[in-house]
Amino acid sequence: MARIGLTGLGTMGAALALNMADNGFDVAVHNRSNDKVDAFMESAGDLATRLTPAYELNDLVAALEAPRAVIIMVQAGAAVDSVIDELVPLLDKGDLIIDAGNADFNDTRRRTQALEELGLGFLGMGVSGGEEGARHGPSIMVGGKRESFEAIEDIVSAIAAKYRKDPCADWLGPDGAGHFVKTVHNGIEYADMQLIAEVYGLLRAGGRGMGEMAELFADWNEGPLQSYLIEITAKILASRDAETGEPMVDVIVDSAGQKGTGRWTVIEALKLGQSATTIEAAVAARSWSAGKAMRKDAEKAYPHGKDNTAEILDADLETALFAARIIGYGQGMALLAAASEHFDWSLDLARVAEIWRAGCIIRSSLLDDIASAIRAGIPHGQLILAPAFVERLSAGVPALRRVVAASVHHGLPVPALSSALSYFDTVRRGRGTADLIQAQRDYFGRHGFERIDRPGTGFHGPWAE
Ligand code: 6PG
């Protein structure tokens, strides 16, 4: 009998099944199209002895030890509901369904409630690290009932990436907590990718060759910016297209795809009265990038002069990127704190940072420092107020300011870098400009305001008379 089942042998599902088999677990595997099951079994090599192919869902269920555990790894949305609907009549009370895709956490909350009412367990499990991670060690963010997690904890810990022997996998909270954390992980991923792309854009505008840029990113990867995304950027910039011999990036259309997790992060942030502006800028930039034809016409309508980045120093770019990255992570962490409070999840944010230290796409040397800072306690849940980060940002923001100022001056787009800076400049002022907003609201709508010189609310200005 197999210890666990998996349905959905796409790239991620197949890699996860092989990872489990590689770690000594017997796995039953299923896919809607039988060809994929056969192809997967053929590709499994020696691991095939630990894998049981199933051509129908009831064969998958029949191949499992009780209480059963079935991982679903299909496209987020309606496909997950349809697999759940097919699975439910085949399962018994006490069995467990695990959605390992990038689900909208609102769906996960709904599914958790519906399945728990039927006596079934349900876990929403975020898995990060792409195909390579899923095969050899992803970061795994689990939400649902703790007992449900305990039923598969040994498997999850075994297959996860390890940071100094600590598995990058954990139960984070009830119902949608795991998928919410994965969504925000992806939001931070969007921000980080956009920040890197903007810096690449500035270097390119300065006439730098791909090889030179690749070396610069590789150098930066030895310093405070050390991270998976910087590492792969260096490798990407050094790659050439086999067909044309051109730098690979030069033959790729500059229109970015997005499956939705970045947008969900922004939507949920707004619903919670938060605003993760670095992530918002990254989502916006992807959407703008998709309008290639429009941008070409806009370039004709508003021709720009020759690009000039003469005053931007490489060292400033490195430091600016680091400062903006801290601000982006900080906004993501603040969003997690707000969601945890709103949904009563008691998220351990330090643990979240710890399980992001290896395996996932945003893994970086910074995350160990973030985890330590959160463990030590951060004022107002704001990473940028942690003493270690106050020091880093105080040192880094002047470079961010120089880079943004020069970019704005020369008309070079830096939406994420400038959003990070604007956020920083806003929150570092104890007195802002919302006094005027309050006055305007009171003027046209008698909304009332608070006064600085006495307690109470609902005061009005002289215009009220
Ligand atoms: C990960 C990635 C993974 C995937 C995203 C990309 O953590 O392994 O984030 O989940 O690459 O779905 O999303 P976009 O297609 O929206 O860029």
Side-chain angles (χ1 to χ4, degrees):
M1 297 295 267
R3 170 71 197 282
I4 192 159
L6 183 144
T7 178
L9 290 171
T11 315
M12 293 292 282
L16 214 54
L18 292 176
N19 188 351
M20 291 190 284
D22 218 0
N23 277 284
F25 300 99
D26 291 325
V27 187
V29 291
H30 166 265
N31 196 78
R32 215 173 270 279
S33 73
N34 291 349
D35 295 358
K36 247 191 180 159
V37 178
D38 291 333
F40 171 74
M41 290 303 294
E42 263 170 46
S43 71
D46 293 350
L47 292 176
T49 54
R50 292 216 168 274
L51 297 161
T52 310
Y55 296 101
E56 300 293 336
L57 268 183
N58 54 8
D59 297 331
L60 178 83
V61 171
L64 300 176
E65 288 170 9
R68 305 173 188 89
V70 182
I71 296 177
I72 303 177
M73 195 52 137
V74 301
Q75 202 180 354
V80 176
D81 285 316
S82 102
V83 176
I84 291 175
D85 289 348
E86 272 184 68
L87 267 176
V88 166
L90 306 172
L91 297 176
D92 293 324
K93 278 193 173 27
D95 288 348
L96 173 63
I97 297 177
I98 304 131
D99 176 9
N102 270 338
D104 179 333
F105 90 109
N106 294 294
D107 288 339
T108 305
R109 284 167 67 78
R110 168 177 60 77
R111 290 169 184 144
T112 304
Q113 197 188 347
L115 291 171
E116 283 177 0
E117 276 167 17
L118 299 173
L120 295 169
F122 186 68
L123 292 173
M125 184 168 97
V127 178
S128 177
E131 184 183 5
E132 179 62 18
R135 176 66 184 84
H136 296 292
S139 166
I140 306 178
M141 294 145 255
V142 187
K145 276 216 171 100
R146 201 176 176 120
E147 307 88 87
S148 300
F149 171 65
E150 281 163 4
I152 56 157
E153 185 173 0
D154 57 336
I155 304 179
V156 169
S157 301
I159 65 169
K162 310 288 178 305
Y163 180 85
R164 296 184 188 145
K165 297 195 179 147
D166 180 21
C168 289
D170 219 330
W171 174 83
L172 298 173
D175 57 76
H179 275 146
F180 190 91
V181 170
K182 175 61 172 58
T183 298
V184 175
H185 163 283
N186 282 26
I188 296 173
E189 170 187 306
Y190 270 55
D192 222 25
M193 289 167 74
Q194 176 62 24
L195 291 167
I196 293 171
E198 288 174 17
V199 167
Y200 149 74
L202 295 175
L203 289 165
R204 191 179 66 181
R208 311 293 282 272
M210 291 289 175
E212 218 183 324
M213 289 194 261
E215 272 174 34
L216 200 52
F217 276 98
D219 271 2
W220 290 347
N221 200 41
E222 304 292 316
L225 282 174
Q226 189 286 316
S227 57
Y228 173 71
L229 284 170
I230 296 284
E231 178 194 327
I232 65 164
T233 301
K235 290 182 180 160
I236 290 166
L237 293 172
S239 303
R240 286 193 175 265
D241 176 31
E243 262 175 62
T244 60
E246 293 297 316
M248 196 63 229
V249 175
D250 278 347
V251 300
I252 298 178
V253 176
D254 57 324
S255 291
Q258 48 179 323
K259 292 199 208 78
T261 43
R263 195 179 321 139
W264 293 344
T265 308
V266 173
I267 291 169
E268 296 307 330
L270 293 176
K271 282 198 210 159
L272 289 164
Q274 302 285 311
S275 208
T277 49
T278 320
I279 301 172
E280 270 170 42
V283 174
R286 284 204 196 185
S287 305
W288 297 332
S289 80
K292 174 93 177 158
M294 180 272 180
R295 286 188 287 117
K296 280 182 148 173
D297 284 347
E299 188 170 29
K300 279 184 214 141
Y302 303 102
H304 52 79
K306 196 173 162 359
D307 289 334
N308 180 354
T309 57
E311 66 264 49
I312 302 179
L313 307 175
D314 289 355
D316 271 1
L317 284 175
E318 180 185 15
T319 308
L321 189 47
F322 186 55
R325 171 181 275 179
I326 293 171
I327 293 167
Y329 275 78
Q331 288 186 331
M333 286 295 175
L335 171 55
L336 288 179
S340 176
E341 192 173 323
H342 182 83
F343 296 107
D344 205 11
W345 285 335
S346 304
L347 281 181
D348 177 349
L349 294 184
R351 188 66 190 137
V352 170
E354 281 167 5
I355 67 171
W356 286 349
R357 289 179 300 186
C360 68
I361 303 294
I362 63 168
R363 61 187 184 262
S364 72
S365 57
L366 191 60
L367 278 159
D368 195 39
D369 297 344
I370 292 179
S372 310
I374 298 174
R375 286 245 177 271
I378 49 175
H380 304 283
Q382 294 290 340
L383 190 65
I384 64 166
L385 292 181
F389 287 97
V390 170
E391 213 175 285
R392 285 178 166 100
L393 279 181
S394 303
V397 164
L400 177 59
R401 194 177 303 292
R402 285 192 291 275
V403 169
V404 170
S407 304
V408 170
H409 185 66
H410 294 296
L412 289 158
V414 283
L417 287 164
S418 59
S419 294
L421 181 60
S422 287
Y423 167 77
F424 175 84
D425 281 336
T426 301
V427 300
R428 74 189 288 224
R429 285 186 185 270
R431 175 159 168 79
T433 54
D435 42 4
L436 182 60
I437 304 287
Q438 285 298 78
Q440 289 164 335
R441 291 177 68 243
D442 187 57
Y443 191 104
F444 60 67
R446 288 185 60 78
H447 293 290
F449 49 74
E450 291 174 81
R451 293 183 59 102
I452 59 166
D453 51 0
R454 68 194 84 142
T457 54
F459 295 103
H460 297 287
W463 46 78
E465 294 139 27

